[in-house]
Amino acid sequence: MEDKFWEEEEDKLRDECGVIGIYLNKDKIDANDAEAQKERIPFASFNAATMAYYGLYSLQHRGQDSAGIAVSDGNEIKVHKAMGTVAEAFKAEHLEMLQGDIAVGHVRYATAGKSSLENAQPMVQKSKLGGIAVAHNGQLVNYEQLREMLEETGSTFASSSDTEVIVKLIAKSYKKGLEKALTDTIQMIKGSFALCVMTESYLIGARDPNGIRPLCLGKVANGWILASESSAIDAVNGTFVRDIQPGEIVLINKDGVNSYEFGEHTSKRTCIFEYVYFARPDSIIDGISVEEARLRMGEMLAKENPVPADVVMGVPDSGLGAAMGYGRAAGIPYVMGIVKNKYIGRTFIAPTQAERENMVFVKLNAMKSDVDGKRVVVIDDSIVRGTTSRRLVQILRRAGAKEVHFRVSSPAVRFPCYFGINTPTRNELIANKLDVEEICKEIGADSLAFLSPEGLMEACRVCNPEQYGFCKGCFTGEYPMSLPGELNGQHWTKTNVL
């Protein structure tokens, strides 16, 4: 049997992608804050590709299949991309080759299109009118229709990625001017997207009308940065300015940042799973601190689903914040409880399905001194297939836990995502087949409870009352837009989203 990476079968939803854009104007170093500028000046000596490289490192959690950076020196666009993590894809000589003051970068998990170098981003299109590079986070729901239309008018494709459709559409309208080409393209594509687009002299950012995928703007000593998360801005010693708004395009050039709106006004529908699991805890997305949201989720979980226990612990890493919140609200001591082996990466090979499932024992281990003879509450961010949860319960019982009460800081995942999350099919989602009592029996816990959809919304709204809209289709099957045709064998129509 062909060897496979064990993480391919890991019992988690896979994050979509991460994007970054850098625009440097070395002739205009902002000197408004002299002391702060002194600290930032070392970064002014880097080219845009180097800064993008540092930013991508901080977005590595959003994709480990491939990484790439495209850069413009004002005359032409060069690109380097390769399979694997940022460290695997880039060496010093690659960054030396990518000289220029504008760059876009990307880390990818395969959502639309298989995992291959042809589908790695940024996608670059060159023509007599100029070059275009696109890095895309999200997923188009009308990809197949748009590709068919382009093929009928003579376009050819080198990949199976929906991002190439975006590149082709921009290039097709480029003779109308950059702004018109972007507006026309963005009004044609449907689904979720956070885009970083680069020409020889512009950096452009755009966010879909529902704001499903995140994108933010930051300031660096000698220019600007666009990124999927604010933590990437911090990584290059930049200053967070604001989130790109749903339905907004920003054009950045030597004169600064210009903002445009496109399409009809819609309510913001940020993907709720950014706060549950995907984003780094030190990021702030749409005015909500990710770590604070997870603490609040834990508090709401304790309020809705209390249980007598001696200790509470979280599953590393995204369950830790919720576990601290649960312990704080319930008055139960928080302990480390579980240790994660941080040296198991994407190249760890486990040839069979059984071996891949059992790799949880290698990746996670219990602290016997924390759990032996005790009633334990263990907090995880989600349950997808249930295999990891079952192994976790086994690990804790093997370490002497008297009782194991499983608590999940999000509602049960019952439906697929069509907007950039690599969700298993519905029949692979354990909560789509079994009720809570049956899942509890399947994973071997003494009790099991999920956070309610209302509790999850409340936890996020407490952090930012002005952020009232979220996409939670994976929990409820209600999506913020109509989905064309048959998707994954299920026909969905537009429904209301809280």
Side-chain angles (χ1 to χ4, degrees), residues 466-489:
E466 295 181 3
Q467 166 62 340
Y468 58 86
F470 303 93
C471 177
K472 52 186 180 64
C474 54
F475 303 132
T476 65
E478 300 173 349
Y479 302 94
M481 70 187 75
S482 58
L483 304 174
E486 295 289 327
L487 291 177
N488 275 14

PDB file of all heavy atoms in Angstrom, residues 466-489:
ATOM      1  N   GLU A 466     -20.786  44.533  18.378  1.00  0.00           N
ATOM      2  CA  GLU A 466     -21.083  45.052  17.047  1.00  0.00           C
ATOM      3  C   GLU A 466     -20.937  43.983  15.961  1.00  0.00           C
ATOM      4  O   GLU A 466     -21.387  44.178  14.831  1.00  0.00           O
ATOM      5  CB  GLU A 466     -20.165  46.237  16.731  1.00  0.00           C
ATOM      6  CG  GLU A 466     -20.399  47.438  17.650  1.00  0.00           C
ATOM      7  CD  GLU A 466     -19.506  48.601  17.309  1.00  0.00           C
ATOM      8  OE1 GLU A 466     -18.749  48.485  16.316  1.00  0.00           O
ATOM      9  OE2 GLU A 466     -19.550  49.614  18.022  1.00  0.00           O
ATOM     10  N   GLN A 467     -20.273  42.867  16.294  1.00  0.00           N
ATOM     11  CA  GLN A 467     -20.130  41.775  15.324  1.00  0.00           C
ATOM     12  C   GLN A 467     -21.262  40.791  15.582  1.00  0.00           C
ATOM     13  O   GLN A 467     -21.196  39.934  16.447  1.00  0.00           O
ATOM     14  CB  GLN A 467     -18.754  41.102  15.469  1.00  0.00           C
ATOM     15  CG  GLN A 467     -18.595  39.766  14.770  1.00  0.00           C
ATOM     16  CD  GLN A 467     -18.755  39.817  13.267  1.00  0.00           C
ATOM     17  OE1 GLN A 467     -19.330  40.730  12.723  1.00  0.00           O
ATOM     18  NE2 GLN A 467     -18.233  38.824  12.581  1.00  0.00           N
ATOM     19  N   TYR A 468     -22.320  40.937  14.818  1.00  0.00           N
ATOM     20  CA  TYR A 468     -23.524  40.154  15.093  1.00  0.00           C
ATOM     21  C   TYR A 468     -23.770  39.042  14.089  1.00  0.00           C
ATOM     22  O   TYR A 468     -24.715  38.279  14.245  1.00  0.00           O
ATOM     23  CB  TYR A 468     -24.741  41.079  15.129  1.00  0.00           C
ATOM     24  CG  TYR A 468     -24.942  41.863  13.852  1.00  0.00           C
ATOM     25  CD1 TYR A 468     -25.647  41.330  12.786  1.00  0.00           C
ATOM     26  CD2 TYR A 468     -24.402  43.134  13.724  1.00  0.00           C
ATOM     27  CE1 TYR A 468     -25.820  42.041  11.612  1.00  0.00           C
ATOM     28  CE2 TYR A 468     -24.573  43.856  12.550  1.00  0.00           C
ATOM     29  CZ  TYR A 468     -25.277  43.311  11.493  1.00  0.00           C
ATOM     30  OH  TYR A 468     -25.425  44.016  10.337  1.00  0.00           O
ATOM     31  N   GLY A 469     -22.991  38.918  13.032  1.00  0.00           N
ATOM     32  CA  GLY A 469     -23.270  37.930  12.007  1.00  0.00           C
ATOM     33  C   GLY A 469     -22.155  36.930  11.828  1.00  0.00           C
ATOM     34  O   GLY A 469     -20.981  37.305  11.750  1.00  0.00           O
ATOM     35  N   PHE A 470     -22.514  35.662  11.762  1.00  0.00           N
ATOM     36  CA  PHE A 470     -21.537  34.598  11.558  1.00  0.00           C
ATOM     37  C   PHE A 470     -22.111  33.552  10.610  1.00  0.00           C
ATOM     38  O   PHE A 470     -23.323  33.332  10.571  1.00  0.00           O
ATOM     39  CB  PHE A 470     -21.173  33.912  12.881  1.00  0.00           C
ATOM     40  CG  PHE A 470     -20.643  34.835  13.935  1.00  0.00           C
ATOM     41  CD1 PHE A 470     -21.496  35.402  14.867  1.00  0.00           C
ATOM     42  CD2 PHE A 470     -19.294  35.132  13.991  1.00  0.00           C
ATOM     43  CE1 PHE A 470     -21.014  36.258  15.842  1.00  0.00           C
ATOM     44  CE2 PHE A 470     -18.802  35.980  14.963  1.00  0.00           C
ATOM     45  CZ  PHE A 470     -19.668  36.558  15.892  1.00  0.00           C
ATOM     46  N   CYS A 471     -21.243  32.898   9.864  1.00  0.00           N
ATOM     47  CA  CYS A 471     -21.648  31.719   9.111  1.00  0.00           C
ATOM     48  C   CYS A 471     -21.424  30.503   9.998  1.00  0.00           C
ATOM     49  O   CYS A 471     -20.305  30.281  10.477  1.00  0.00           O
ATOM     50  CB  CYS A 471     -20.843  31.576   7.823  1.00  0.00           C
ATOM     51  SG  CYS A 471     -21.248  30.076   6.882  1.00  0.00           S
ATOM     52  N   LYS A 472     -22.455  29.736  10.216  1.00  0.00           N
ATOM     53  CA  LYS A 472     -22.371  28.530  11.044  1.00  0.00           C
ATOM     54  C   LYS A 472     -23.035  27.354  10.344  1.00  0.00           C
ATOM     55  O   LYS A 472     -23.655  26.493  10.965  1.00  0.00           O
ATOM     56  CB  LYS A 472     -22.990  28.771  12.432  1.00  0.00           C
ATOM     57  CG  LYS A 472     -24.398  29.351  12.406  1.00  0.00           C
ATOM     58  CD  LYS A 472     -24.838  29.673  13.829  1.00  0.00           C
ATOM     59  CE  LYS A 472     -26.233  30.261  13.860  1.00  0.00           C
ATOM     60  NZ  LYS A 472     -27.284  29.372  13.392  1.00  0.00           N
ATOM     61  N   GLY A 473     -22.870  27.328   9.014  1.00  0.00           N
ATOM     62  CA  GLY A 473     -23.510  26.295   8.211  1.00  0.00           C
ATOM     63  C   GLY A 473     -23.101  24.883   8.580  1.00  0.00           C
ATOM     64  O   GLY A 473     -23.901  23.957   8.461  1.00  0.00           O
ATOM     65  N   CYS A 474     -21.856  24.698   9.048  1.00  0.00           N
ATOM     66  CA  CYS A 474     -21.402  23.348   9.397  1.00  0.00           C
ATOM     67  C   CYS A 474     -22.137  22.800  10.617  1.00  0.00           C
ATOM     68  O   CYS A 474     -22.174  21.590  10.834  1.00  0.00           O
ATOM     69  CB  CYS A 474     -19.893  23.328   9.624  1.00  0.00           C
ATOM     70  SG  CYS A 474     -19.303  24.531  10.832  1.00  0.00           S
ATOM     71  N   PHE A 475     -22.746  23.684  11.408  1.00  0.00           N
ATOM     72  CA  PHE A 475     -23.522  23.248  12.569  1.00  0.00           C
ATOM     73  C   PHE A 475     -25.008  23.106  12.256  1.00  0.00           C
ATOM     74  O   PHE A 475     -25.676  22.201  12.765  1.00  0.00           O
ATOM     75  CB  PHE A 475     -23.375  24.245  13.723  1.00  0.00           C
ATOM     76  CG  PHE A 475     -21.956  24.488  14.152  1.00  0.00           C
ATOM     77  CD1 PHE A 475     -21.478  25.778  14.333  1.00  0.00           C
ATOM     78  CD2 PHE A 475     -21.082  23.434  14.373  1.00  0.00           C
ATOM     79  CE1 PHE A 475     -20.173  26.011  14.733  1.00  0.00           C
ATOM     80  CE2 PHE A 475     -19.766  23.660  14.778  1.00  0.00           C
ATOM     81  CZ  PHE A 475     -19.318  24.952  14.957  1.00  0.00           C
ATOM     82  N   THR A 476     -25.534  24.013  11.433  1.00  0.00           N
ATOM     83  CA  THR A 476     -26.989  24.098  11.246  1.00  0.00           C
ATOM     84  C   THR A 476     -27.458  23.709   9.845  1.00  0.00           C
ATOM     85  O   THR A 476     -28.645  23.475   9.643  1.00  0.00           O
ATOM     86  CB  THR A 476     -27.465  25.532  11.520  1.00  0.00           C
ATOM     87  OG1 THR A 476     -26.896  26.410  10.530  1.00  0.00           O
ATOM     88  CG2 THR A 476     -27.043  25.994  12.916  1.00  0.00           C
ATOM     89  N   GLY A 477     -26.558  23.695   8.860  1.00  0.00           N
ATOM     90  CA  GLY A 477     -26.960  23.472   7.482  1.00  0.00           C
ATOM     91  C   GLY A 477     -27.556  24.704   6.829  1.00  0.00           C
ATOM     92  O   GLY A 477     -28.066  24.637   5.710  1.00  0.00           O
ATOM     93  N   GLU A 478     -27.480  25.849   7.508  1.00  0.00           N
ATOM     94  CA  GLU A 478     -27.979  27.113   6.962  1.00  0.00           C
ATOM     95  C   GLU A 478     -26.800  27.936   6.484  1.00  0.00           C
ATOM     96  O   GLU A 478     -25.870  28.209   7.254  1.00  0.00           O
ATOM     97  CB  GLU A 478     -28.768  27.872   8.035  1.00  0.00           C
ATOM     98  CG  GLU A 478     -29.972  27.104   8.549  1.00  0.00           C
ATOM     99  CD  GLU A 478     -30.649  27.787   9.717  1.00  0.00           C
ATOM    100  OE1 GLU A 478     -30.065  28.746  10.268  1.00  0.00           O
ATOM    101  OE2 GLU A 478     -31.755  27.368  10.079  1.00  0.00           O
ATOM    102  N   TYR A 479     -26.837  28.374   5.238  1.00  0.00           N
ATOM    103  CA  TYR A 479     -25.698  29.044   4.608  1.00  0.00           C
ATOM    104  C   TYR A 479     -26.056  30.465   4.211  1.00  0.00           C
ATOM    105  O   TYR A 479     -27.233  30.777   3.991  1.00  0.00           O
ATOM    106  CB  TYR A 479     -25.226  28.239   3.394  1.00  0.00           C
ATOM    107  CG  TYR A 479     -24.822  26.828   3.724  1.00  0.00           C
ATOM    108  CD1 TYR A 479     -25.741  25.783   3.605  1.00  0.00           C
ATOM    109  CD2 TYR A 479     -23.554  26.523   4.192  1.00  0.00           C
ATOM    110  CE1 TYR A 479     -25.383  24.487   3.923  1.00  0.00           C
ATOM    111  CE2 TYR A 479     -23.189  25.235   4.510  1.00  0.00           C
ATOM    112  CZ  TYR A 479     -24.108  24.211   4.384  1.00  0.00           C
ATOM    113  OH  TYR A 479     -23.750  22.927   4.705  1.00  0.00           O
ATOM    114  N   PRO A 480     -25.078  31.348   4.117  1.00  0.00           N
ATOM    115  CA  PRO A 480     -25.359  32.765   3.850  1.00  0.00           C
ATOM    116  C   PRO A 480     -25.650  33.086   2.394  1.00  0.00           C
ATOM    117  O   PRO A 480     -25.843  34.256   2.065  1.00  0.00           O
ATOM    118  CB  PRO A 480     -24.077  33.464   4.320  1.00  0.00           C
ATOM    119  CG  PRO A 480     -23.012  32.449   4.146  1.00  0.00           C
ATOM    120  CD  PRO A 480     -23.657  31.122   4.456  1.00  0.00           C
ATOM    121  N   MET A 481     -25.642  32.098   1.519  1.00  0.00           N
ATOM    122  CA  MET A 481     -25.953  32.339   0.108  1.00  0.00           C
ATOM    123  C   MET A 481     -26.490  31.065  -0.498  1.00  0.00           C
ATOM    124  O   MET A 481     -26.322  29.965   0.053  1.00  0.00           O
ATOM    125  CB  MET A 481     -24.696  32.805  -0.652  1.00  0.00           C
ATOM    126  CG  MET A 481     -23.642  31.723  -0.826  1.00  0.00           C
ATOM    127  SD  MET A 481     -22.108  32.345  -1.540  1.00  0.00           S
ATOM    128  CE  MET A 481     -21.410  33.199  -0.116  1.00  0.00           C
ATOM    129  N   SER A 482     -27.165  31.203  -1.639  1.00  0.00           N
ATOM    130  CA  SER A 482     -27.663  30.026  -2.334  1.00  0.00           C
ATOM    131  C   SER A 482     -26.499  29.312  -3.000  1.00  0.00           C
ATOM    132  O   SER A 482     -25.542  29.933  -3.456  1.00  0.00           O
ATOM    133  CB  SER A 482     -28.703  30.428  -3.373  1.00  0.00           C
ATOM    134  OG  SER A 482     -28.166  31.346  -4.301  1.00  0.00           O
ATOM    135  N   LEU A 483     -26.585  27.992  -3.033  1.00  0.00           N
ATOM    136  CA  LEU A 483     -25.529  27.168  -3.607  1.00  0.00           C
ATOM    137  C   LEU A 483     -26.057  26.508  -4.870  1.00  0.00           C
ATOM    138  O   LEU A 483     -27.085  25.829  -4.836  1.00  0.00           O
ATOM    139  CB  LEU A 483     -25.077  26.105  -2.602  1.00  0.00           C
ATOM    140  CG  LEU A 483     -24.603  26.645  -1.254  1.00  0.00           C
ATOM    141  CD1 LEU A 483     -24.317  25.509  -0.306  1.00  0.00           C
ATOM    142  CD2 LEU A 483     -23.372  27.523  -1.426  1.00  0.00           C
ATOM    143  N   PRO A 484     -25.378  26.715  -5.993  1.00  0.00           N
ATOM    144  CA  PRO A 484     -25.920  26.226  -7.260  1.00  0.00           C
ATOM    145  C   PRO A 484     -25.820  24.714  -7.408  1.00  0.00           C
ATOM    146  O   PRO A 484     -24.828  24.094  -7.032  1.00  0.00           O
ATOM    147  CB  PRO A 484     -25.035  26.922  -8.305  1.00  0.00           C
ATOM    148  CG  PRO A 484     -23.743  27.171  -7.597  1.00  0.00           C
ATOM    149  CD  PRO A 484     -24.111  27.440  -6.163  1.00  0.00           C
ATOM    150  N   GLY A 485     -26.892  24.125  -7.966  1.00  0.00           N
ATOM    151  CA  GLY A 485     -26.844  22.722  -8.375  1.00  0.00           C
ATOM    152  C   GLY A 485     -26.656  21.755  -7.239  1.00  0.00           C
ATOM    153  O   GLY A 485     -26.942  22.021  -6.079  1.00  0.00           O
ATOM    154  N   GLU A 486     -26.141  20.587  -7.615  1.00  0.00           N
ATOM    155  CA  GLU A 486     -25.884  19.525  -6.649  1.00  0.00           C
ATOM    156  C   GLU A 486     -24.457  19.628  -6.155  1.00  0.00           C
ATOM    157  O   GLU A 486     -23.507  19.524  -6.920  1.00  0.00           O
ATOM    158  CB  GLU A 486     -26.093  18.161  -7.309  1.00  0.00           C
ATOM    159  CG  GLU A 486     -27.534  17.891  -7.728  1.00  0.00           C
ATOM    160  CD  GLU A 486     -28.442  17.660  -6.535  1.00  0.00           C
ATOM    161  OE1 GLU A 486     -27.959  17.104  -5.535  1.00  0.00           O
ATOM    162  OE2 GLU A 486     -29.616  18.032  -6.604  1.00  0.00           O
ATOM    163  N   LEU A 487     -24.304  19.870  -4.859  1.00  0.00           N
ATOM    164  CA  LEU A 487     -22.984  19.959  -4.248  1.00  0.00           C
ATOM    165  C   LEU A 487     -22.837  18.813  -3.262  1.00  0.00           C
ATOM    166  O   LEU A 487     -23.615  18.704  -2.309  1.00  0.00           O
ATOM    167  CB  LEU A 487     -22.801  21.298  -3.527  1.00  0.00           C
ATOM    168  CG  LEU A 487     -22.707  22.530  -4.419  1.00  0.00           C
ATOM    169  CD1 LEU A 487     -22.615  23.780  -3.563  1.00  0.00           C
ATOM    170  CD2 LEU A 487     -21.504  22.446  -5.341  1.00  0.00           C
ATOM    171  N   ASN A 488     -21.809  17.981  -3.495  1.00  0.00           N
ATOM    172  CA  ASN A 488     -21.579  16.815  -2.635  1.00  0.00           C
ATOM    173  C   ASN A 488     -22.836  15.953  -2.489  1.00  0.00           C
ATOM    174  O   ASN A 488     -23.106  15.386  -1.439  1.00  0.00           O
ATOM    175  CB  ASN A 488     -21.107  17.254  -1.248  1.00  0.00           C
ATOM    176  CG  ASN A 488     -19.612  17.477  -1.216  1.00  0.00           C
ATOM    177  OD1 ASN A 488     -18.965  17.554  -2.256  1.00  0.00           O
ATOM    178  ND2 ASN A 488     -19.059  17.577  -0.029  1.00  0.00           N
ATOM    179  N   GLY A 489     -23.647  15.909  -3.566  1.00  0.00           N
ATOM    180  CA  GLY A 489     -24.838  15.068  -3.527  1.00  0.00           C
ATOM    181  C   GLY A 489     -25.992  15.648  -2.739  1.00  0.00           C
ATOM    182  O   GLY A 489     -27.003  15.013  -2.534  1.00  0.00           O
TER     183      GLY A 489
END
